[in-house]
Amino acid sequence: MIELRRSPRITVTWRAGVKLPDGKLVLAKLVNISAEGVLIHTTENLIPQRSYPMLIEIPGIFQESQIYKVSCKGTVRHAILSGEVYHVGIQLSEMSQLHTELVTAWISKTAHLS
């Protein structure tokens, strides 16, 4: 299969939180990540084209028990209900350079293992 995406993505099982406008924190599971975005699974329907503050837990590249709590903003590109879970594609922004480099390192490390 030919990959048509601009950025390579890797499969992960990381945790995230999405803050709704009313202040409620929605927990989510990251399914995959790229330099530009993530796919999450959540029980809450997130509104396409809306931006939400997010927190993503990313393991350290050398010591996976070290967890980085990465704050960023996520803009919903699509949300599809499958069973009881929404599959939500999110474009990331406002992530620090250090955390962007951590994501890039994970993508590079995983690509070399494939």
Side-chain angles (χ1 to χ4, degrees), residues 6 11 16 26 31 38 47 51 60 62 72 74 80 88 97 108-110:
R6 289 182 297 229
T11 301
V26 174
V31 176
V38 295
I47 309 300
S51 292
F62 298 111
C72 59
I80 301 167
V88 184
Q97 182 65 32
S108 178
K109 177 183 177 179
T110 304

Side-chain angles (χ1 to χ4, degrees), residues 42-58:
T42 183
T43 56
E44 188 77 29
N45 185 20
L46 301 177
I47 309 300
Q49 307 312 314
R50 182 174 283 177
S51 292
Y52 298 91
M54 294 182 64
L55 184 71
I56 301 172
E57 292 184 347
I58 302 178

Side-chain angles (χ1 to χ4, degrees), residues 91-111:
Q91 182 178 1
L92 298 177
S93 62
E94 299 183 25
M95 187 182 294
S96 75
Q97 182 65 32
L98 176 66
H99 293 134
T100 300
E101 290 172 5
L102 178 61
V103 169
T104 302
W106 268 108
I107 293 167
S108 178
K109 177 183 177 179
T110 304

Side-chain angles (χ1 to χ4, degrees), residues 5-70:
R5 296 179 185 270
R6 289 182 297 229
S7 299
R9 61 186 170 179
I10 60 168
T11 301
V12 296
T13 54
W14 299 342
R15 298 185 321 172
V18 179
K19 189 172 183 180
L20 300 181
D22 66 2
K24 178 181 172 187
L25 182 65
V26 174
L27 299 179
K29 177 180 139 186
L30 263 73
V31 176
N32 67 47
I33 190 167
S34 75
E36 296 181 2
V38 295
L39 178 67
I40 65 171
H41 287 174
T42 183
T43 56
E44 188 77 29
N45 185 20
L46 301 177
I47 309 300
Q49 307 312 314
R50 182 174 283 177
S51 292
Y52 298 91
M54 294 182 64
L55 184 71
I56 301 172
E57 292 184 347
I58 302 178
I61 195 75
F62 298 111
Q63 188 175 7
E64 291 186 32
S65 62
Q66 182 179 11
I67 302 296
Y68 293 89
K69 296 187 183 303
V70 177

